[in-house]
């Protein structure tokens, strides 16, 4: 199956670079380009790409607002959003993850990592570079008020809460399985059920939820 990737960045040279990387891969194609957030929204509505690489800082409608509007539209639910940022500690990235982005990449990411990320997100996984994502969320979650457990927590079993906390700490399904002495398939089932109960699009939103609900705190990252 061909993965269709849309590109949204206000710099034509940056878009050209991403286009070259994407089109160099068998099984990937560029579904279109946008130079600002409004064009990105229209592009997603028109072309229904599998993934959109979204620059967070664009004129007029920025990538954060575009992400909110795309993620909030049930008709666009099949398009996954990867946020592109120049800085790995960018406060707007956390807002984008909260809004429904599936992950983020720093613009100087190596091409092989970019392509791996696009494939992961297209398959429904969150793009969570453990080191950068942990630092990002720890940095900004640490500035927030003491979290109040959302009411959705009541829908989770004790084991599911434990699993969401481990996802928030950056563990993979295999690592969660080892920690809880269950099979990877069982861990994956717990993650999937938790996502459904919490209305999370992917693991990226589970990570944010874990911090905001107080299931995992920045100091626990080690």
């Amino acid at each position: 199956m061909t993965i269709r990737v849309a590109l949204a960045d206000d710099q034509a040279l940056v878009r050209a670079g991403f286009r070259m990387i994407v089109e160099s891969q068998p099984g990937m194609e560029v579904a279109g380009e946008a130079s600002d957030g409004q064009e990105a929204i229209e592009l997603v509505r028109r072309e229904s790409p599998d993934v959109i690489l979204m620059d967070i800082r664009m004129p007029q409608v920025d990538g954060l607002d575009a992400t909110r509007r795309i993620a909030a539209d049930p008709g666009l639910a099949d398009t996954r959003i990867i946020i592109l940022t120049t800085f790995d500690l960018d406060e707007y990235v956390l807002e984008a993850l909260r809004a429904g982005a599936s992950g983020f990449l720093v613009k100087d990411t190596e091409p092989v990592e970019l392509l791996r990320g696009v494939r992961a997100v297209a398959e429904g996984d969150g793009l969570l570079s453990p080191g950068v994502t942990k630092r990002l969320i720890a940095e900004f979650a640490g500035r927030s008020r003491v979290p109040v457990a959302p009411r959705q927590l009541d829908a989770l079993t004790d084991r599911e809460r434990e699993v969401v906390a481990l996802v928030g700490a950056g563990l993979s399904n295999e690592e969660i399985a080892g920690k809880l002495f269950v099979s990877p398939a069982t861990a994956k089932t717990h993650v999937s059920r938790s996502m459904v109960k919490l209305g999370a699009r992917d693991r990226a939103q589970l990570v944010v939820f874990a911090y905001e609900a107080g299931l995992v705190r920045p100091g626990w990252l080690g």
Side-chain angles (χ1 to χ4, degrees):
M1 185 182 72
T2 299
I3 300 173
R4 303 177 68 249
V5 183
L7 310 173
D9 195 291
D10 61 331
Q11 298 183 48
L13 190 60
V14 172
R15 296 198 306 273
F18 284 131
R19 174 180 282 275
M20 183 173 64
I21 293 169
V22 170
E23 292 185 339
S24 72
Q25 294 299 298
M28 284 192 194
E29 66 180 25
V30 173
E33 298 183 18
S35 61
D36 64 38
Q38 184 58 45
E39 287 184 11
I41 296 166
E42 294 168 0
L43 175 59
V44 170
R45 287 174 176 160
R46 185 173 65 251
E47 298 293 338
S48 299
D50 299 299
V51 177
I52 181 166
L53 298 176
M54 180 86 74
D55 184 16
I56 203 165
R57 298 172 184 271
M58 293 184 287
Q60 299 178 43
V61 177
D62 63 18
L64 178 57
D65 192 26
T67 295
R68 286 196 189 101
R69 288 158 64 178
I70 291 170
D73 188 336
L76 307 180
D78 290 337
T79 296
R80 303 296 179 182
I81 304 164
I82 297 176
I83 292 294
L84 300 172
T85 178
T86 305
F87 312 104
D88 58 10
L89 286 179
D90 186 334
E91 60 186 310
Y92 294 110
V93 172
L94 181 56
E95 292 301 319
L97 292 173
R98 285 188 178 121
S102 293
F104 74 95
L105 288 168
V106 180
K107 284 188 177 181
D108 61 1
T109 297
E110 293 293 327
V112 65
E113 294 299 323
L114 171 72
L115 295 169
R116 184 179 294 124
V118 168
R119 290 191 181 97
V121 167
E123 291 170 2
D125 292 328
L127 177 56
L128 300 172
S129 172
V132 176
T133 302
K134 286 178 183 178
R135 286 192 293 116
L136 174 84
I137 295 179
E139 172 77 14
F140 296 106
R143 299 179 188 176
S144 303
R145 62 183 184 278
V146 176
V148 177
R151 282 179 294 179
Q152 296 102 304
L153 275 181
D154 295 338
L156 300 180
T157 65
D158 289 342
R159 177 46 60 92
E160 287 166 350
R161 292 190 192 199
E162 193 173 9
V163 167
V164 172
L166 293 172
V167 171
L171 275 65
S172 66
N173 288 345
E174 290 74 18
E175 291 168 331
I176 291 171
K179 194 89 169 176
L180 300 180
F181 303 102
V182 299
S183 70
T186 298
K188 183 177 181 180
T189 297
H190 285 311
V191 171
S192 298
R193 287 178 178 169
S194 299
M195 287 171 56
V196 170
K197 289 181 178 181
L198 297 174
R201 287 165 63 102
D202 49 42
R203 293 176 78 96
Q205 284 201 298
L206 276 190
V207 171
V208 175
F209 181 91
Y211 277 92
E212 295 190 329
L215 294 177
V216 61
R217 301 299 299 276
W220 299 358
L221 294 176

